[in-house]
Amino acid sequence: MADDETTIGRESANTLSLRHASVSRRHCVIRKVADEFKLVDLNSFNGTFVNGLPVKEQTLAHADQLRVGNLSLLFLLEEGEETTSGQLVSLDDSDPVGQTSKIIDSEALLHDTEGSPVDLPAHERMARDLGVLLKIATRINRLRRTQELVREILDSVFEVVPVNRGAILLTQGDKEFSSVYGKHRLTEAAPLRISRTVVERVIREGKAILANDIRTSESLCSADSLVAEQISSLLCLPLIVFEKTLGAIYLDTNDPIVRFDEGHVKLLAGIAGIAAVSLENSRKMEWLEGENSRLRSTLAIEHNMLGESPVMQSVYSFIQRVAPARSAVLICGESGTGKELAAHAIHANSPRANQPFVPINCAALTETLLESELFGHEKGAFTGAISKKDGKLAVANGGTVFLDEIGEMALSMQSRLLRFLQDHKIERVGSTTSIKLDVRVLAATNRNLEEAIKLGTFRADLYHRLDVVKVTLPPLRERRDDIPLLSSYFAEKYGNECKRPISGISAEARAALQDYSWPGNVRELENAIERAVVLGVSETIGLEDLPRRLLDAVEDAQATSAGYYEAVKDAKRQLIMKALENAKGNYTEAAKALGIHPNNLHRIIRTLDLKAVVAK
């Protein structure tokens, strides 16, 4: 991408214009900052997604998958291949192309031209050239690596064309040349110096250049690279596949007896056609291998948590560091901050990922049931124990057990859990036999355990056993930058579940979501968006679709800001009353004039307390 800024949207003025109803007029922009590319969502209705996750601002990496509206894009910085090692090639900037040179359209390269070579009869040369093409095709089709291919292609060319030097140069994105391979018939010591102007013109125009009598040409004999090597003739052809120019094949000679003709051009065009397809396939294969490696690396720190704020990046970094260990982890945070998701991520990125992950809610079970759930019981250990049962710790053997709401555990159970953490042995209820287990313990709480210790409701020694490594998940109010991303994600999720297209969230609704304090954190936000999707009738989630408590809380918080929401309400009331007046009380016509569904109009009238006024 050459420009410092690329805008994407429905308007034709955008750098990339996507004429689709799901795309906002100015949807997003990609900005080049130093050596990085940053994607910024421009408050689009349906959000911008990177690798399936909604983003507000994101630094892009090679092969990131973008979704703009319902359209998918692939962001590529490179095609995954490194510069091919071979004889060094340097480029000379002087221009050797003059009036005595021939510029040949690529479309004409494989067609008959006037004049035929004199060294062989036309039919014999054609038969020889066809045999050469078949031989080259057979040889290069066995190869899959770009480096092997360019070497084989150039070696094959040297077998049939009387050249002293040759090079294959491949382009890639903004790079000048991503792959360069050179060959000298007589020596491998010195680097090849070739004309940059010739190669770049061939690649840019997609035409072959044939030049003889270079030494006697006033325009050509001044080219430094040609003078130094005493070049007499040169030939350069584009490598084209599917109307895309991959690079060029460059050949020259300093033998004054050798003159390239159009027969050579046609033979090289056939070789270039075969070579271009093989090179394109090999580059795609190498790109896929690189992408596979990149994805595997990404999966190594995969998680189901959502957020790009600095505090969440710190959480991801913590998970990546502690996942490989065996230590107990204490996950703290308010209700609804995603403590179980963090526990899942630690397990999924650990060596135990293929073993069981067993969650237990300590607050949902009585002391007796919790003991049986954790440690298991023998047959007849208590009333109702009709058979032997393995506890959750035994089920999780080799894996991870997640103790949610550990702060609600009874003191007697805390003592048994502490003993297990010390020796990793359990005894089933009603048994005296110890069982050795290999289980990693993750615990979570929304309580202040240090305060609970002071109150005598939580054991200090158990706390210190669990507090080997601790992380506190931030409440949503401390990472408000993530609210638009989460909102867009939940809107799409429940829109798909309800089979109802959601094109986005209105600016007013976004502002309300951003201003609310979210005491229930991400869980409360998810419930609010789900409610808006289920009850709404418009494709856009509006302010009227949000829970009343949310709007009331926002209005109370903004009461000193010139009554913003009251002014919005008054404007809506006047607009609706005017529409009904013009429609002479016809709800369907009024809704049509307002550009909304009649059901939506009825709901807005109820929300704004206009029912009694309209009925008069």
Side-chain angles (χ1 to χ4, degrees), residues 431-484:
S431 173
T432 58
T433 304
S434 295
I435 303 172
K436 183 76 173 179
L437 297 178
D438 173 23
V439 177
R440 185 180 191 180
V441 175
L442 308 179
T445 181
N446 58 10
R447 294 181 58 187
N448 186 329
L449 294 185
E450 293 178 352
E451 287 295 323
I453 292 171
K454 293 178 182 178
L455 295 173
T457 59
F458 201 84
R459 294 180 61 110
D461 45 6
L462 175 58
Y463 172 73
H464 294 306
R465 275 286 178 181
L466 294 173
D467 191 28
V468 177
V469 184
K470 181 170 73 173
V471 62
T472 300
L473 299 187
L476 191 53
R477 61 182 174 275
E478 293 182 6
R479 55 182 187 111
R480 294 183 184 273
D481 291 347
D482 291 332
I483 291 175

Side-chain angles (χ1 to χ4, degrees), residues 218-408:
E218 293 183 4
S219 62
L220 303 181
C221 65
S222 61
D224 295 339
S225 60
L226 303 182
V227 172
E229 296 294 331
Q230 298 183 337
I231 301 303
S232 57
S233 300
L234 69 82
L235 177 58
C236 189
L237 291 92
L239 291 164
I240 301 175
V241 61
F242 302 125
E243 300 182 354
K244 172 186 175 183
T245 302
L246 304 181
I249 299 180
Y250 174 93
L251 306 172
D252 66 28
T253 180
N254 58 6
D255 187 345
I257 299 176
V258 175
R259 296 177 62 86
F260 296 135
D261 55 34
E262 293 186 17
H264 292 122
V265 175
K266 292 170 65 178
L267 174 60
L268 262 293
I271 295 174
I274 297 170
V277 174
S278 296
L279 287 168
E280 176 74 352
N281 290 338
S282 71
R283 282 154 63 108
K284 284 184 176 179
M285 182 65 69
E286 289 171 358
W287 178 85
L288 288 172
E289 290 174 354
E291 177 66 1
N292 184 46
S293 175
R294 187 188 75 84
L295 289 174
R296 287 181 181 274
S297 175
T298 301
L299 287 173
I301 54 170
E302 192 58 52
H303 55 82
N304 291 323
M305 307 171 76
L306 190 62
E308 298 178 348
S309 57
V311 290
M312 290 305 295
Q313 294 297 335
S314 297
V315 172
Y316 303 150
S317 177
F318 170 87
I319 291 171
Q320 186 177 12
R321 293 197 306 273
V322 304
R326 301 181 60 182
S327 307
V329 180
L330 181 60
I331 306 171
C332 300
E334 297 178 7
S335 178
T337 51
K339 296 186 289 295
E340 186 168 352
L341 288 177
H344 267 291
I346 292 172
H347 172 75
N349 293 290
S350 74
R352 302 169 180 264
N354 294 326
Q355 300 301 319
F357 175 85
V358 181
I360 302 173
N361 189 330
C362 299
L365 299 170
T366 64
E367 180 180 345
T368 304
L369 288 176
L370 182 58
E371 184 178 24
S372 174
E373 280 292 304
L374 271 178
F375 302 105
H377 61 256
E378 296 290 340
K379 180 179 179 181
F382 52 84
T383 303
I386 59 176
S387 62
K388 184 174 73 172
K389 176 186 175 182
D390 284 333
K392 292 293 182 67
L393 289 173
V395 171
N397 191 29
T400 306
V401 66
F402 173 58
L403 302 176
D404 197 10
E405 300 191 55
I406 187 74
E408 307 301 322

Side-chain angles (χ1 to χ4, degrees), residues 475-535:
L476 191 53
R477 61 182 174 275
E478 293 182 6
R479 55 182 187 111
R480 294 183 184 273
D481 291 347
D482 291 332
I483 291 175
L485 311 183
L486 291 160
S487 303
S488 297
Y489 174 79
F490 293 136
E492 182 183 36
K493 173 184 174 181
Y494 290 108
N496 291 336
E497 286 185 7
C498 298
K499 294 182 171 44
R500 193 166 81 79
I502 299 296
S503 62
I505 302 172
S506 72
E508 296 84 356
R510 282 180 182 272
L513 294 171
Q514 198 85 9
D515 292 339
Y516 186 54
S517 61
W518 298 109
N521 295 296
V522 178
R523 186 181 294 125
E524 184 183 6
L525 173 62
E526 180 175 6
N527 292 341
I529 298 299
E530 182 180 7
R531 175 189 182 277
V533 172
V534 171
L535 297 180

